[in-house]
Amino acid sequence: MSAAEGPDADLSTDERAALELIRETRGIHQSELWKELDISSRKGSRIAESLVEQTLIRREETVYQGHNTYFLMPTARDLDFSLLMAGDMLSPFIGEEEVDPRSDAFSQWLMNLAYEEY
């Protein structure tokens, strides 16, 4: 599926830029979003509300640099968990403090990844 066919295909140029920034940063304060995009706070607020309504981002109230604002985060549906998988095996790095890259679990996961059919 190309980007034009995805769930965010109907977004305006500004909404697409905002969503991309939120995804890249894995979360940003709304007051920083409009500064980064060089748009007014009013327009930034409307964009954030639109993305929330489309369930592309989540928005939580917070205080940042002494001011009430929102923290904007990508929704879980935007995360690609397939990158953690090799066939039906979850990466052995998930949840481990230290992983030995020479371990059998890691070797098996890599082999599954290498031989996956596309």
Side-chain angles (χ1 to χ4, degrees), residues 53-114:
E53 287 174 9
Q54 297 177 66
T55 66
L56 294 169
I57 66 168
R58 293 183 302 126
R59 184 168 73 166
E60 292 181 4
E61 288 185 41
T62 188
V63 175
Y64 178 63
Q65 296 182 341
H67 300 281
N68 291 336
T69 187
Y70 292 96
F71 190 71
L72 311 173
M73 298 154 286
T75 57
R77 76 178 196 170
D78 290 330
L79 303 176
D80 186 0
F81 295 106
S82 68
L83 300 174
L84 303 175
M85 302 296 293
D88 62 353
M89 286 183 67
L90 182 65
S91 168
F93 289 112
I94 304 303
E96 295 294 325
E97 292 293 321
E98 292 190 29
V99 176
D100 179 2
R102 296 176 301 248
S103 71
D104 288 338
F106 182 63
S107 297
Q108 184 61 45
W109 184 78
L110 277 178
M111 292 300 287
N112 280 359
L113 189 61

Side-chain angles (χ1 to χ4, degrees), residues 10-73:
D10 294 330
L11 298 180
S12 71
T13 302
D14 288 332
E15 288 172 331
R16 192 176 312 281
L19 182 58
E20 187 174 309
L21 181 60
I22 294 165
R23 287 174 174 166
E24 285 174 3
T25 59
R26 298 184 188 237
I28 188 170
H29 289 95
Q30 185 168 306
S31 54
E32 292 298 312
L33 175 78
W34 55 265
K35 289 175 188 174
E36 287 287 325
L37 297 177
D38 195 27
I39 57 177
S40 70
S41 61
R42 184 180 202 164
K43 186 172 185 175
S45 181
R46 283 195 305 254
I47 289 170
E49 288 172 10
S50 174
L51 295 175
V52 167
E53 287 174 9
Q54 297 177 66
T55 66
L56 294 169
I57 66 168
R58 293 183 302 126
R59 184 168 73 166
E60 292 181 4
E61 288 185 41
T62 188
V63 175
Y64 178 63
Q65 296 182 341
H67 300 281
N68 291 336
T69 187
Y70 292 96
F71 190 71
L72 311 173
M73 298 154 286

